[in-house]
Amino acid sequence: GCSLVFYDAFLRQMSLTGIGYAIIAMTVFSFYLIFIQKSIKNINPLTFSFYVILTTAISFIILSNPTKFPPLTPEKIFIALGIALIPTFIAVTLLYIAIERIGSIYVSIFSTIEPIVTITASYILLKENVVILQIIGMISILLGIILPNYKKMVKNV
């Protein structure tokens, strides 16, 4: 399913360095999910999110030179706050709540819906072109999630 969703990327000249970074990112994220599941046992996910984001912010400030940031405009501040709230705070908090409730294995399985959401949002918001192979890929991904988990999903409803 994913290979069909990303077929366009495979048709273009791809950088082996980029593929290597993607594999490293997937590996690090997998260990991150396992680490979170082990760490979050006795901590409120909201508190955990706060400390993770605070640590990231402090690291960013230490590792970058804040005096070299471009001048802030109201539009840039609005965009920064939007990015801080929606894809950072809300997404990270929901991720931690999901790991706490269903575990990192199921979170990683259900996170494969991300390409479907991204393609659908790009189609709606950015008027990106979506071809039939990508739609078949998205359906394959959904079936790959639903079919193996169908009995468990029906049992919990």
Side-chain angles (χ1 to χ4, degrees):
C2 285
S3 61
L4 292 175
V5 166
F6 301 119
Y7 91 97
D8 187 45
F10 294 127
L11 292 178
R12 297 180 186 173
Q13 183 179 8
M14 293 186 10
S15 159
L16 287 178
T17 305
I19 292 170
Y21 284 137
I23 291 169
I24 292 168
M26 289 184 285
T27 304
V28 169
F29 188 69
S30 297
F31 283 104
Y32 173 72
L33 291 177
I34 294 167
F35 171 76
I36 296 303
Q37 184 172 342
K38 295 276 187 192
S39 302
I40 205 166
K41 289 188 184 210
N42 298 319
I43 302 173
N44 180 325
L46 195 58
T47 304
F48 197 80
S49 296
F50 171 77
Y51 286 120
V52 167
I53 293 169
L54 179 65
T55 303
T56 304
I58 292 169
S59 301
F60 180 75
I61 290 169
I62 291 171
L63 296 174
S64 66
N65 185 351
T67 61
K68 299 224 177 189
F69 290 149
L72 290 177
T73 63
E75 181 184 21
K76 288 179 184 177
I77 292 171
F78 177 74
I79 291 170
L81 290 174
I83 290 171
L85 182 63
I86 297 168
T88 305
F89 181 73
I90 292 173
V92 167
T93 302
L94 292 174
L95 174 71
Y96 296 156
I97 291 169
I99 290 172
E100 179 184 57
R101 295 200 177 164
I102 65 172
S104 59
I105 292 172
Y106 285 110
V107 168
S108 65
I109 290 170
F110 287 105
S111 71
T112 57
I113 293 174
E114 286 178 42
I116 297 170
V117 172
T118 302
I119 287 176
T120 304
S122 336
Y123 175 76
I124 293 168
L125 301 172
L126 304 173
K127 309 295 185 232
E128 291 281 332
N129 192 26
V130 178
V131 297
I132 192 69
L133 283 177
Q134 291 174 308
I135 294 170
I136 293 169
M138 291 188 291
I139 292 168
S140 299
I141 290 170
L142 286 174
L143 290 174
I145 294 169
I146 293 169
L147 293 178
N149 296 295
Y150 182 74
K151 287 182 182 177
K152 188 169 187 166
M153 288 169 32
V154 170
K155 183 178 149 186
N156 288 336
V157 173

